[in-house]
Every structure is written in structure tokens, then in C-alpha cells.
Amino acid sequence: MNQIPILTVSWEDDGRIWVYYMNQKIDITDKFEDGYCYVKLEAGGETKYMTVKYSDPSCDGLGYGFSTHGFLQPNEFSVGSEDD
């Protein structure tokens, strides 16, 4: 049985921001520049490029999108979107 490649972003109570993808847990808290973070995810021979937008946690905090072709630019994604 193949593992389902679930991708989630979590804003923890302590203020840390984590990306979870397959068997990976990546702390992206300090990787934001100008409100955006770019994360390259590799697992099972596949690569995904993730763009995360930082915003106030009281407003549901994060928007993100990912692609198998390259990093999405901020104007190219919606919360939880995938391009393929």
C-alpha cells in the first residue's frame, strides 16, 4: 500500500510554525522573508516546492500552496492549493 503524501502546515501555541510532509517535520518559523517562506520537500523520489504566507495567527494565520514544478509566487496560490 502506498503512503498518502499528506502535507500540512501547523501554527503551534508556542508560536512555532511546522510543515509536516510524509515522515518529515520541518520548523519554518525563522525562514520567512518579507512574509513568505519557500520550502523544498523531497520524499519517495518526488519533490514538491511549497510557498507559505505568514499572517496573524488570530486570522487563521497561514496560506500556502505547492507545486511539483517550482516555487509558486505569492500571487499564484490559494490556501491549500495544488497545481497538478
Side-chain angles (χ1 to χ4, degrees):
M1 177 182 256
N2 291 335
Q3 183 176 10
I4 298 171
I6 297 172
L7 182 132
T8 59
V9 179
S10 176
W11 192 310
E12 301 299 322
D13 291 337
D14 65 0
R16 308 298 303 166
I17 303 168
W18 295 89
V19 170
Y20 296 90
Y21 179 63
M22 298 182 96
N23 63 344
Q24 301 173 59
K25 179 180 177 181
I26 305 162
D27 183 351
I28 63 169
T29 307
D30 300 321
K31 298 182 186 238
F32 286 85
E33 291 186 24
D34 296 324
Y36 291 89
C37 174
Y38 300 91
V39 184
K40 184 178 178 181
L41 303 164
E42 298 178 293
E46 293 185 5
T47 301
K48 292 196 182 280
Y49 300 89
M50 181 175 199
T51 303
V52 183
K53 179 182 179 182
Y54 183 95
S55 61
D56 188 310
S58 66
C59 301
D60 285 333
L62 300 167
Y64 64 92
F66 62 97
S67 170
T68 57
H69 307 291
F71 292 113
L72 298 173
Q73 296 305 304
N75 63 337
E76 296 179 305
F77 70 89
S78 299
V79 174
S81 72
E82 183 174 2
D83 75 334
D84 48 2

